[in-house]
Structure formats: structure tokens, C-alpha cells
Amino acid sequence: MANDEFTSIRQWTVRSAGQEGDGLRVGIGDDAAVFAVAKGMEIVACCDAMIETIHFLRETMNAEDIGYKAMISNISDVAAMGGYPRYALISIGVPPHWTVDECERIYTGLYEAADKYGVRIIGGDTVATPDALHLSVTVLGEVEAGKAIRRSAAKQGELVFVTGTLGGSAAGLHMLLDARTPGRNLASGFEELRLLHQRPEAQVAAARLLIRCPGIGACNDVSDGLASELWEIAEASGVSVYIEQDRLPILPLVAAYAHTVGADPVDWVLYGGEDYQLVGTVAERDAAELQAAFHQQGLPFAVIGRVKQGPPAVWMDTEAGQKALAKAGYNHFQRS
Amino acid sequence: MANDEFTSIRQWTVRSAGQEGDGLRVGIGDDAAVFAVAKGMEIVACCDAMIETIHFLRETMNAEDIGYKAMISNISDVAAMGGYPRYALISIGVPPHWTVDECERIYTGLYEAADKYGVRIIGGDTVATPDALHLSVTVLGEVEAGKAIRRSAAKQGELVFVTGTLGGSAAGLHMLLDARTPGRNLASGFEELRLLHQRPEAQVAAARLLIRCPGIGACNDVSDGLASELWEIAEASGVSVYIEQDRLPILPLVAAYAHTVGADPVDWVLYGGEDYQLVGTVAERDAAELQAAFHQQGLPFAVIGRVKQGPPAVWMDTEAGQKALAKAGYNHFQRS
């Protein structure tokens, strides 16, 4: 890409100049952005990168999807703390084989997710890179002072919940990878699984219910697979986590696709990742009220297990008895 | 790099776990970091990336220098708004030809700069990348509410100042590139120019004096060369900027090296960049007091020109008369 094309991308990315207001004092177009923080709130900050060939393949993700998902994965991290997102900074490295049009489509996806979740893009950096596209997003949010939900806060006796179905992103990826074989299309009748992989959603509304629940314990977002997320909670909190296989929420379409291709959907739930649901723990006395609050807002909520005293570990009750779950998460396309 | 080596890097980067306190509620080790903002302050946020072969070559920058400079360039952006830095998030993409040891040395440089400027590294992402190393740093700082210094605030009649000498980074790079020729060493007697390129400093102390000055106008940090920075101020503020060539602060060592290699040091000042001094404008009535405040703290301060009414442009008085300065900045190793 020539330098004047870079200038074109840079100019395109500042379409939100003149965006000041509602707490934003200085938006894109200065050395740094400046914003005020609402009274009684603290800042939540996170940063996740997506790299071509490592986190996605061009065959499985459209340019818009890459932008959308990079933004969602960060908004999801803010949600995992109980917060809501406010601002984003975008660092993008563009190699020669990506066109200006494709870069603009990445930004279309970034803005689509940002607009949907009330996030303003306030800065970043657009640079050339020699080989793989990389996209690093920082999202800044707000959370009530002293109330952020930590993964280290799970306590013995609490129930384990998730805020929606799991395994769908891995099912969609399986289908998209399968369709790369020459002469093959997306599996007939399962095409919409694609969206579970390419267009995941962040659970901000759920996060805001969790933070108002007095009995809330720990929380993680499911970016690396349920087993890995529960392990993080178990280790950070010093507890054992027990879940029941037959309580895992799996979409019928995901189960049907798994059956068709001879895969086990439970593996996708445990080790797939990128579903961006929240998994957490809550005091038993508050669980029914929390569940009712979710249902009132039309949000799913499923109790899948319990926190117990014991060394950090994750166990699952299956038809064949109790099984220790490995700590492994999904490694995308990472080289070994 | 194998996956277990990645785990090693990831663990190494969380050496600052248990870093909570002084406003930091949740540090590295959860889905996101959480911090409180001091009363009466707003957040300053910026993000800059450094890419191997584009922004640096391994022959001209040691691993520690890469980390140090990536942190400094962001701290400098916070300083350019008049703020001071508090927190950083690091996104690093590591290709196979970089060793774990080299990555740890990058972090050594990041922490060295962070510690020097009171910055805590509170999060980020460590990922594999297929080719070039990339390092994207987000720095979050604080600035007095409503007081951030904008580049659009230059007004007719103000004086133009810089907070230190310019052109040194470009001189150092010239020397380092020259020494790449087989059989050549760093130019004798000029070795310390190297540090001006590899170990620049951010002008946070200067920024804090500027923000207390009632007559402060606009400010930028010199990341892309003086001409480019002044053009940004001229365009954002709708003014003409006039500077005088014989007032440009240039280190004697830089001038001597330029003489030795037959280069013009003024070109390095105008189009070199990465000096990370602040360039700004100040009301004439407050300039003397501001200069005195700088000198009291042992900080350099040089008036180099004046803001005038007129269309956005940058002019320089030279021995040969008045010259319009091109808008161009330095393009590093960027492909054309």
C-alpha cells in the first residue's frame, strides 16, 4: 500500500472528529483524547489483539467481521468486570496485500460494534506492517466505584451460572473451515452457525444486572472456553468448581450440526471459546432473584453447577461419572 | 516460538500482579484492569504502535530500546495534552525469529520507562504473529478537568516555544544506519548520539509547567518533525506560524556530526522527528514567567517564533529570506 493510500485510511478513521460531548472533552485529532469520568464511577481498561493467521483466517472472517469481533472481544472484557464500555482506541497494522477498501471494511465492522454498544472511537494508530494484518483494540469503560466483579471472588456454596448458550462459535468455525475444501459449501441448513463465529455479541446488559446483585461472586467472559474460564475462577478464588454436563446450555442447531459431523458439542463448550457469554458465581440465596431479573429483560440465565471447598480444580458430572476437566483453552490457529 | 514459551512470556509480563493500591483497584490478572480517577481530574488516553522494519530495524534498536521508546512515545502524547501518565496496556505480537529472552528484554525496556515516569502496566495481550514484531502501547494519564492543552488553541500574537533541542534523534539514526555498512563502527566521538535515537525522554515535567500557565495556547509533541507538528497546530488553530532558523535549538554535537557527514541539521530538526520535545504557543505577556519557571526547574525553554493571522501555513526566516515549510513529516522506513 502506498503512502497516499495510508493517508486515505488515516483520514477515513477520523470520521468521528467533532465527536466531543457527553464527557468527551477531546476526541480524535489531537495527541491524545481526554474524557471526564462520571461521578462515583471507576475506569475499566482492557486490550486484546487479533492477528491474521493466528486468530483468524481470511477464508473464515470477512473484513467487517474482523473489526466487529475485535471490538466485541474487548467490550466483553469490560462486561466481565460488571462495567459498560465508553471509549475505544484502535491500533491497526496493515500489510501490502490488504487493500484500502478492505481496511475501510474493517473499520465499518469496528464502528458497527462500537455504535451498537455506545462506544466512541477516540484514538489509535494506523501503521504499515510487512506481513500479517494485526488489529489491537483498547476499550475503556466505567464501573461503579469499588464494585467491579473479580474472578477471585468465588466462594464455597455459590452457584455457577452462564448468561447464554456456549459452543456456537466453535461450531461455526468448524463449518467455515470445512467449507474451505474445494467444491464444498457451508453445510446446508446450518449456514447461520457462521454468525455465531463471525458476529458474537457482548453481554453488557447481563453485566449490568450482575453488578446490582448483592450476592454476586466471581465473573469471567467465555473467550477461551468454559473449562479455561472456570479454571481461572477456581485458581484465583482458591476453590473447586463442579458443573453438570446435562445443564450446559447448547443451541439445538449446534447439537444437530455436531451430530451431523460426528463431533461432541460438549468439547466445543468446554474448549472452543469466543462465545463471549459471562460465566460467574452467585450466592444461592440471591440466585432466584437474579434469574428473575434476567428473564424480565428477556436474557437467558442458566445455573450449571456449584462452588465447593477444595483445591483449585474443575469437575464435571457426566453420565459416566465425575470427570476432571483439563485446564486447556482453545489455541486458535497458533503454531505449536 | 512454541506455546510453552508463550506461556513463559505471559507469566513474565505479569510480574506486577498484586500491584493494587494508590487508585488501582484491579491490576493485571483479571479480564480488565480497574482504577479510580483523582478528584478534579480527567483521563488522557492515547495509543501508538511500533512495527519492526517500519518504525525500527533490529540493527538500530536493541530489544530494551524498543520497549523503552514505545512507552516514551505514548507518555509524550499524554504530556502534549499537559497531563501526566498513570497506566499502560501493552499489546505485543511476537514472530518466530524473536526469542523469549529478547521479548523479556523488550519488557525490561517497557518497565524501565514505566518506572521512571510513574506508570503502572495494568494489562494487555501477548500473541504470536507470523512475521514482524509489533508493539502497541496504550497509555492512560490524568489532566486537570477542562485544562487539557489542545493543538487547536494557538492564537494570533502568541510566541512559539520548544522545550529542548531538536534533530538529535535523526542524527543518531543517521549514525546508526551508517554503521550498518560492513566494516564501519559508530562515528568516533559521536557515539552518544545513539542515545538520542534509542533512549528519548518524555517532557512530563515541562507539561506540568505548561498546564499551570494561564497564557498557554496550543501544544504538540515532536514525534514527526517540527514542521509537521507546527503544521498540525496551524491547521487545527487556523493560523500562520512563523519561526526563525537561527533560534532553533540544536545540540553542538548534532551540528558537529551533521558537518562531518555533510548533512544539514536543520533538516533533521524540521523533518526528523522522534525528539519528543514539546512545541507550543504562549501569550507574550506570560512567556517570560513561563521561561523563568522552566529555568527554575533546570528545564530548557526556547522561543523560536510567533503565531500570526493568516491561512494555515508554516514559515521560516532564513539567511536567504522567508521560506514556506513543507507539511511532510518523517516516514521512518515506510515503504513508498
Side-chain angles (χ1 to χ4, degrees), chain A:
Chain A
M1 202 178 296
N3 280 344
D4 58 342
E5 290 181 294
F6 259 95
T7 307
S8 152
I9 294 181
R10 287 208 175 100
Q11 285 173 348
W12 200 85
T13 62
V14 301
R15 75 172 190 194
S16 44
Q19 58 191 172
E20 282 82 1
D22 188 25
L24 185 62
R25 305 291 186 230
V26 182
I28 283 179
D30 213 311
D31 290 300
V34 181
F35 59 87
V37 181
K39 197 161 183 280
M41 305 303 279
E42 292 174 346
I43 297 291
V44 186
C46 60
C47 175
D48 255 354
M50 279 177 70
I51 313 288
E52 185 182 355
T53 75
I54 307 293
H55 297 89
F56 64 88
L57 301 174
R58 298 184 82 172
E59 298 96 319
T60 60
M61 294 279 282
N62 300 312
E64 292 89 343
D65 300 331
I66 294 161
Y68 193 89
K69 195 163 173 175
M71 183 65 77
I72 290 294
S73 74
N74 281 283
I75 293 174
S76 178
D77 280 326
V78 171
M81 307 305 290
Y84 54 89
R86 292 297 310 271
Y87 304 109
L89 299 105
I90 312 295
S91 170
I92 184 167
V94 183
H97 62 286
W98 285 73
T99 65
V100 171
D101 175 61
E102 287 174 314
C103 293
E104 291 191 356
R105 286 168 49 210
I106 291 173
Y107 266 88
T108 298
L110 284 163
Y111 275 107
E112 202 181 324
D115 291 347
K116 186 164 184 175
Y117 289 88
V119 171
R120 279 185 282 183
I121 297 176
I122 58 172
D125 202 6
T126 304
V127 296
T129 187
D131 188 0
L133 184 117
H134 77 254
L135 180 58
S136 186
V137 177
T138 299
V139 168
L140 305 171
E142 292 181 346
V143 69
E144 285 74 6
K147 297 281 189 192
I149 308 171
R150 307 188 60 150
R151 68 172 55 144
S152 57
K155 290 170 290 293
Q156 178 192 348
E158 288 177 339
L159 300 179
V160 179
F161 65 84
V162 290
T163 62
T165 61
L166 300 173
S169 176
L173 177 60
H174 184 287
M175 184 184 64
L176 287 160
L177 289 173
D178 190 55
R180 288 194 305 162
T181 312
R184 287 178 78 101
N185 296 318
L186 291 182
S188 177
F190 296 106
E191 294 85 351
E192 67 187 77
L193 287 178
R194 180 176 63 80
L195 294 175
L196 298 179
H197 180 70
Q198 295 171 337
R199 293 283 169 144
E201 296 299 337
Q203 306 307 315
V204 179
R208 301 304 292 159
L209 292 179
L210 297 180
I211 205 158
R212 285 177 216 142
C213 173
I216 188 68
C219 186
N220 257 6
D221 70 321
V222 183
S223 49
D224 293 327
L226 183 63
S228 169
E229 307 304 339
L230 290 176
W231 259 102
E232 287 186 347
I233 289 174
E235 291 191 314
S237 304
V239 296
S240 291
V241 174
Y242 289 76
I243 60 173
E244 298 173 42
Q245 180 176 331
D246 58 12
R247 290 187 173 215
L248 296 178
I250 301 175
L251 275 181
L253 191 69
V254 170
Y257 177 72
H259 181 75
T260 303
V261 300
D264 183 353
V266 174
D267 278 347
W268 291 339
V269 170
L270 296 176
Y271 304 112
E274 299 192 347
D275 289 311
Y276 302 116
Q277 295 296 334
L278 301 179
V279 54
T281 68
V282 60
E284 190 163 9
R285 66 173 188 283
D286 289 320
E289 198 174 329
L290 183 60
Q291 181 150 26
F294 268 72
H295 289 172
Q296 260 183 16
Q297 293 205 12
L299 297 170
F301 183 93
V303 171
I304 61 167
R306 189 179 285 275
V307 180
K308 298 187 182 176
Q309 195 170 21
V314 182
W315 297 88
M316 185 169 74
D317 281 335
T318 72
E319 282 183 8
Q322 207 168 62
K323 192 170 129 183
L325 296 185
K327 208 170 156 180
Y330 190 51
N331 267 325
H332 312 283
F333 307 95
Q334 202 157 304
R335 60 180 181 271
S336 60

Side-chain angles (χ1 to χ4, degrees), chain B:
Chain B
M1 204 178 294
N3 280 343
D4 58 341
E5 290 180 294
F6 259 95
T7 306
S8 153
I9 294 179
R10 288 209 174 100
Q11 285 174 348
W12 199 85
T13 61
V14 302
R15 74 171 191 197
S16 44
Q19 58 190 172
E20 282 81 2
D22 188 24
L24 184 62
R25 305 292 186 230
V26 182
I28 283 179
D30 213 311
D31 291 299
V34 181
F35 59 87
V37 181
K39 199 163 182 279
M41 305 302 279
E42 292 174 346
I43 298 291
V44 186
C46 59
C47 175
D48 255 353
M50 279 179 69
I51 313 287
E52 185 181 357
T53 75
I54 308 292
H55 298 89
F56 64 87
L57 300 175
R58 299 185 81 174
E59 297 96 319
T60 59
M61 294 278 282
N62 299 313
E64 292 88 344
D65 300 330
I66 294 162
Y68 194 89
K69 195 163 172 174
M71 184 65 78
I72 290 294
S73 74
N74 280 283
I75 293 175
S76 179
D77 280 326
V78 170
M81 307 305 291
Y84 54 89
R86 294 294 312 269
Y87 304 109
L89 298 106
I90 312 295
S91 170
I92 184 167
V94 183
H97 62 286
W98 284 73
T99 65
V100 171
D101 176 61
E102 287 173 315
C103 292
E104 291 191 355
R105 286 166 51 210
I106 290 173
Y107 266 88
T108 298
L110 283 163
Y111 275 107
E112 202 181 323
D115 291 347
K116 187 165 183 174
Y117 289 89
V119 171
R120 279 185 283 182
I121 297 176
I122 58 171
D125 203 5
T126 305
V127 296
T129 188
D131 188 359
L133 185 117
H134 78 253
L135 180 57
S136 186
V137 177
T138 299
V139 168
L140 305 171
E142 291 181 345
V143 68
E144 285 74 6
K147 296 281 188 192
I149 308 172
R150 307 187 60 151
R151 67 172 58 143
S152 57
K155 289 170 290 295
Q156 179 191 350
E158 287 178 339
L159 299 179
V160 178
F161 65 84
V162 289
T163 62
T165 61
L166 300 173
S169 177
L173 177 61
H174 184 287
M175 184 183 65
L176 287 160
L177 288 174
D178 191 56
R180 288 195 305 162
T181 312
R184 288 179 78 100
N185 296 319
L186 290 183
S188 178
F190 297 105
E191 293 85 351
E192 66 186 77
L193 288 178
R194 180 176 65 79
L195 295 176
L196 299 180
H197 180 70
Q198 295 171 337
R199 293 283 169 145
E201 295 299 338
Q203 306 306 315
V204 178
R208 301 303 293 159
L209 292 178
L210 297 181
I211 205 159
R212 285 177 216 141
C213 173
I216 188 68
C219 186
N220 258 4
D221 70 319
V222 182
S223 48
D224 293 326
L226 184 63
S228 168
E229 306 304 340
L230 290 175
W231 259 103
E232 287 185 347
I233 289 174
E235 291 191 313
S237 303
V239 296
S240 291
V241 174
Y242 288 77
I243 61 172
E244 297 172 43
Q245 180 175 331
D246 60 10
R247 290 187 172 216
L248 296 178
I250 300 175
L251 275 181
L253 192 68
V254 170
Y257 177 71
H259 182 76
T260 303
V261 299
D264 182 353
V266 175
D267 278 347
W268 291 339
V269 170
L270 297 176
Y271 304 111
E274 299 191 347
D275 290 311
Y276 302 115
Q277 296 297 334
L278 301 179
V279 54
T281 68
V282 60
E284 190 163 10
R285 65 172 189 284
D286 288 321
E289 197 174 330
L290 183 60
Q291 181 149 26
F294 268 73
H295 289 172
Q296 259 182 17
Q297 293 206 14
L299 297 171
F301 183 93
V303 171
I304 61 167
R306 190 179 285 275
V307 180
K308 297 188 183 176
Q309 196 170 20
V314 182
W315 298 90
M316 185 170 74
D317 281 335
T318 73
E319 282 183 8
Q322 209 166 58
K323 191 170 130 182
L325 296 185
K327 208 170 157 180
Y330 191 52
N331 268 325
H332 312 284
F333 306 95
Q334 201 158 304
R335 60 179 180 271
S336 60

